[in-house]
Amino acid sequence: MVFRLKRPKTATLIFNSGKMVCTGAKSEKEARRAVMKVIKELKKGGIIIIGKPELKIQNIVASASLGGMIDLEKAAYSLGKTMYEPEQFPGLIYRMDEPKVVILLFASGKLVCTGAKKEQDVYDAVHKLHEMLEEQDLIFYE
């Protein structure tokens, strides 16, 4: 079942196993609020829920802009743990070890960070990548 909320604007998938997956929240706090609201609504509808739910953040997806152009060809060689096949996909795929995230990096300087378990991991990963790109002269500002 899909349970949609207007505030916070989320969709929660509810499985017959009792597990739920909440998507669309803009923060960890908002995700928790959405799940608690769904549980409250289910209880109001007569569904018996025993115990306190165990909430676990599995995957945070974030987008950002580094404010400059990136030389993806050079970055693919310099960063290591990258995949860059422009004929297949226009972005460079970078697997960062610490924090453990995957970043899709585009020539425009825009990126998508995925796989984080905590919001702070996203900030740390983007900051670390930005520093690496600057150190290796792979980012150009206009």
Side-chain angles (χ1 to χ4, degrees):
M1 174 173 97
V2 180
F3 198 118
R4 294 183 195 282
L5 291 176
K6 280 195 172 79
R7 286 175 61 105
K9 192 171 189 281
T10 57
T12 302
L13 309 172
I14 304 171
F15 300 92
N16 59 6
S17 64
K19 290 192 177 185
M20 302 192 310
V21 175
C22 176
T23 63
K26 299 291 182 204
S27 67
E28 288 180 49
K29 191 178 174 183
E30 201 174 272
R32 291 178 203 286
R33 207 169 73 235
V35 169
M36 296 317 286
K37 197 169 178 180
V38 168
I39 289 167
K40 190 173 149 188
E41 290 296 321
L42 291 173
K43 283 181 178 177
K44 211 167 26 175
I47 292 161
I48 300 155
I49 297 166
I50 303 156
K52 193 175 179 272
E54 183 193 324
L55 275 86
K56 190 171 164 192
I57 306 291
Q58 295 281 25
N59 182 30
I60 295 172
V61 179
S63 59
S65 177
L66 299 176
M69 300 295 285
I70 313 291
D71 185 334
L72 295 181
E73 201 72 49
K74 283 184 187 167
Y77 289 103
S78 303
L79 294 175
K81 287 210 172 181
T82 61
M83 248 177 62
Y84 181 53
E85 294 178 38
E87 302 81 28
Q88 302 290 316
F89 181 68
L92 176 145
I93 302 164
Y94 174 50
R95 295 179 189 283
M96 190 178 278
D97 287 329
E98 196 49 50
K100 194 175 188 304
V101 296
V102 175
I103 296 174
L104 306 177
L105 183 61
F106 298 91
S108 64
K110 292 191 163 99
L111 63 83
V112 175
C113 177
T114 184
K117 303 266 188 224
K118 299 189 296 268
E119 277 181 59
Q120 191 57 49
D121 288 348
V122 174
Y123 295 112
D124 294 346
V126 172
H127 181 73
K128 184 176 174 180
L129 175 65
H130 194 229
E131 275 186 351
M132 288 163 58
L133 293 170
E134 289 216 324
E135 282 168 13
Q136 295 170 38
D137 285 325
L138 299 169
I139 186 165
F140 309 95
Y141 306 99
E142 285 160 22

